[in-house]
Amino acid sequence: MIRIAVANQKGGVGKTTTAINLATALAAIGWRVLLVDLDPQGNASTGLGVPQSQRQRSSYDVLIGESGVGDAAVATRVPRLDLVPATVDLSGAEVELVALEGRAHRLDRALTAAAGRWDICLIDCPPSLGLLTVNALVAARHLLIPLQCEFFALEGLSQLLQTVARIRSAFNPDLAILGVALTMFDRRNNLSSAVSDDVRACLGGAVFETVVPRNVRLSEAPSHGLPALIYDLRCPGSEAYVRLAKEIIGRLPQLAEAA
């Protein structure tokens, strides 16, 4: 099972929107997709239309060892896309994990035990670099970084890259940066273009060619419990995520061979 962590310690960069819509796009090409919601806010769960009543087991239960991934996963409205939902219990998981054996490897072990049921797993991380995100980075083999096209978004990127280097050194030498996805791009704003140019100058080919624009339909879709790709496939935001999914497929040999 291919594992991709979608992470950025800065909030409001389009991380959950990216995770939901990429998971939908990959399911649409026939892949069995699992999305793990590791954010205590549970936005990925809400955005996929999974109500609290269907979250009897959650990513919290998986991390503390009270449930397996297969038992916690629920089907979504999107064919071939399953979700391990999040609940508010995750907000206390950081403290509880400290006392548990192998606290950084809890998610990795749980996903390994579920190998074979899904082709690919996307992990939606919280906007922090705490133990929840560490678990995601230890479990993943690829890191996708959504980056908002605004000045302050650049400041946190170096901190995230330093964290990745520490994770590689201490826990997961196989972790590789899949790419940086520029989000919330506003063509009317010169700053968006300037940030895009700066990021590409610093990171070169690590930055995806596709840029996700600011788009009201992307913002509306979660309130309907639907990915934007289903809510409005023809909106600019959905079309951008389809292109981004194609780029990701090209960077993952396992996906490219089967697509």
Side-chain angles (χ1 to χ4, degrees):
M1 180 168 58
I2 302 166
R3 305 178 193 175
I4 303 173
V6 184
N8 190 324
Q9 78 273 21
K10 187 179 185 303
V13 300
K15 177 176 50 61
T16 298
T17 299
T18 297
I20 289 174
N21 286 290
L22 287 179
T24 301
L26 293 171
I29 66 171
W31 281 76
R32 297 169 300 166
V33 183
L34 176 67
L35 177 58
V36 178
D37 189 351
L38 271 192
D39 189 339
Q41 298 177 83
N43 290 336
S45 305
T46 302
L48 282 172
V50 177
Q52 291 290 339
S53 60
Q54 292 182 23
R55 306 183 198 178
Q56 287 88 357
R57 293 184 176 127
S58 68
S59 53
Y60 167 80
D61 299 298
V62 172
L63 288 172
I64 65 172
E66 291 189 356
S67 174
V69 171
D71 293 328
V74 297
T76 69
R77 302 183 193 182
V78 181
R80 294 178 296 276
L81 173 55
D82 294 334
L83 169 78
V84 175
T87 62
V88 70
D89 292 334
L90 267 181
S91 59
E94 300 268 2
V95 176
E96 294 184 49
L97 285 171
V98 171
L100 297 180
E101 181 182 353
R103 58 183 179 269
H105 297 270
R106 308 289 293 189
L107 182 60
D108 182 34
R109 291 171 182 168
L111 289 174
T112 298
R117 181 167 172 180
W118 296 278
D119 301 308
I120 187 167
C121 171
L122 282 81
I123 308 167
D124 184 32
C125 300
S128 70
L129 294 177
L131 264 176
L132 293 176
T133 298
V134 168
N135 260 271
L137 296 180
V138 171
R141 298 298 174 266
H142 306 276
L143 171 62
L144 173 61
I145 307 172
L147 187 70
Q148 184 180 7
C149 291
E150 292 189 2
F151 173 74
F152 288 120
L154 282 172
E155 291 190 328
L157 183 59
S158 61
Q159 185 180 358
L160 176 59
L161 295 178
Q162 289 170 12
T163 299
V164 170
R166 288 194 291 269
I167 293 293
R168 282 175 177 159
S169 175
F171 302 114
N172 183 7
D174 295 326
L175 180 64
I177 295 176
L178 180 61
V180 175
L182 298 175
T183 62
M184 300 183 180
F185 186 87
D186 189 346
R187 298 187 184 280
R188 301 167 300 176
N189 187 338
N190 290 334
L191 180 59
S192 286
S193 296
V195 170
S196 175
D197 291 343
D198 287 347
V199 173
R200 293 186 189 280
C202 291
L203 300 177
V207 184
F208 290 105
E209 288 297 323
T210 300
V211 175
V212 180
R214 282 193 179 276
N215 181 228
V216 67
R217 304 297 269 179
L218 289 179
S219 301
E220 291 174 352
S223 66
H224 296 271
L226 290 170
L229 268 67
I230 293 178
Y231 180 64
D232 185 353
L233 179 59
R234 299 302 176 188
C235 74
S238 293
E239 291 177 344
Y241 276 118
V242 169
R243 293 193 300 272
L244 181 60
K246 290 179 180 177
E247 282 197 70
I248 288 175
I249 290 169
R251 293 193 184 191
L252 292 171
Q254 305 97 313
L255 281 175
E257 291 169 5

